Amino acid sequence: MTLGVVSFLTDVSSEAVAAILPLYVTAALGMSIVAYGVVDGLVQGAGALVRVAGGWAADRTDRPKWVAAVGYGLSALTRVGLLFAAGLPAVAGLVVTDRIGKGIRTAPRDALIAASANPRNLGRSFGVHRALDTAGAALGPLLAFAVLWAVPDGWTTVFVISLGAAVLGVGALVLLVPDLRPRQAAWLRTHRTRESRGLPKCKGCTCDAAGGLQPAGRPFSWAFLRGGATVRLLLVAGVLGLLTVGDGFVYLALQDRDGFATHWFPLLFVGTNVVYMLLAAPVGRLADRVGRGHVLVWGHVLLAGAYACAAAPFPGAATTLAALVLLGTFYAMTDGVLAALTSALVPTSVRATAIGTAQTVTAVARMIASAGFGVLWYASGRVDALWIVAAALVVAVPVCAYLVRGGRLAPDDALTRETSA
């Protein structure tokens, strides 16, 4: 729950900026849709590779809280830079730095959630966290909307609010979140249950040693990538990520079609995030019952529906609201579910690294998708570009559903024993 509060504050900060970024780049800075495609691609994937590094550092040190704190702190520093940035290169550089911070913190944070949760209820636990996270993601754009309503060119005011929320988030993490040691706790559970089962202690056991307890075994191994289930999950995440363009394109398409005033633009982010917030926990519980892989894959059908709503030649509130509801439900079915599914496939000793790897694959794929979609929009127009991606999703989802059906995403027990040894 405390991590949810940290994420709430951080998302107030990040989403207040994200809500105005499409207009800030295209209107305030006067850049083209291709330029926005580059910036959005950076938002999607700039921190992708460091997600693995952040997960590895958390597993290696067995200190996920402090690795996450580095990422949260780095993102907070970029809010200071936004107050003085002028021009696309500066903004893009700060966006990259912010995403690096997000990349560092995400896997350790999710590893902390998994370490605190009942393994049977991973989907629900991640859903509750994502609900709090998304409440902040809804409040941030609301604050941006209020500022732009009162001050039409109030970009700097939004950046100041973003900085304040980021600092509060870092403070809550450092002062309130317990310093869990997931690998050590898992090792102790395994060793201490030997005595309760009437078994002798393992050779060289240090459970009762003075001066603290030291986990045994290798803290990290790439062996989890040899598991068939993990490889299938990464393949599915990558294919679907290549067909997931940034939300900003959907919102720009809706505004281009409907022509509503600039100060209403942040409310599109609010609509999506409110739906996500309301559905994250219920969908997480559903995923625990019916299968996380199925929920993850079929959620992309709703994404295709959102693209169709944005491309449809029917301006008005009905199609706009439908697009927002579909987008919010899509995120409820995919974001936390991916982390929960990855957590269940691998042993504790590599959990953060595996989560970071899955998120890296998704982020890199989405970065490519956003950059490519900007060019596609420029070349073929808004409507055709959206229909092309929607049609590709309709084809890809059944193929990916085949890859995750049955027991294809069950943990590999032999690999788990090897990695944990």
Side-chain angles (χ1 to χ4, degrees), residues 257-291:
R257 185 190 66 189
D258 295 350
F260 47 79
T262 297
H263 59 261
W264 293 105
F265 192 82
L267 292 186
L268 299 176
F269 291 83
V270 175
T272 297
N273 289 328
V274 166
V275 175
Y276 182 10
M277 176 184 66
L278 295 175
L279 294 180
V283 170
R285 288 194 294 267
L286 175 67
D288 289 333
R289 290 198 301 268
V290 305

Side-chain angles (χ1 to χ4, degrees), residues 9-178:
L9 292 168
T10 304
D11 263 38
V12 169
S13 172
S14 61
E15 294 302 318
V17 174
I20 65 172
L21 191 61
L23 286 178
Y24 185 64
V25 171
T26 58
L29 299 182
M31 301 298 170
S32 68
I33 193 68
V34 174
Y36 172 67
V38 173
V39 173
D40 191 67
L42 294 173
V43 170
Q44 296 289 343
L49 295 180
V50 298
R51 294 190 186 213
V52 178
W56 176 85
D59 287 332
R60 182 72 181 178
T61 63
D62 204 26
R63 297 282 188 180
K65 170 184 171 176
W66 297 109
V67 176
V70 172
Y72 280 106
L74 186 60
S75 291
L77 287 176
T78 65
R79 305 295 186 260
V80 179
L82 284 172
L83 297 175
F84 305 101
L88 184 62
V91 172
L94 289 168
V95 166
V96 170
T97 305
D98 175 61
R99 294 300 92 180
I100 289 174
K102 180 177 177 62
I104 291 172
R105 70 180 182 250
T106 300
R109 180 204 65 198
D110 285 348
L112 283 171
I113 296 171
S116 305
N118 184 325
R120 296 181 178 180
N121 299 322
L122 279 172
R124 181 177 66 183
S125 298
F126 277 98
V128 170
H129 171 267
R130 294 312 196 257
L132 287 168
D133 180 273
T134 311
L139 181 58
L142 273 177
L143 292 174
F145 165 74
V147 169
L148 293 182
W149 178 281
V151 186
D153 294 321
W155 314 107
T156 301
T157 304
V158 174
F159 296 151
V160 171
I161 294 172
S162 173
L163 172 61
V167 171
L168 289 174
V170 173
L173 174 69
V174 172
L175 298 176
L176 302 178
V177 174

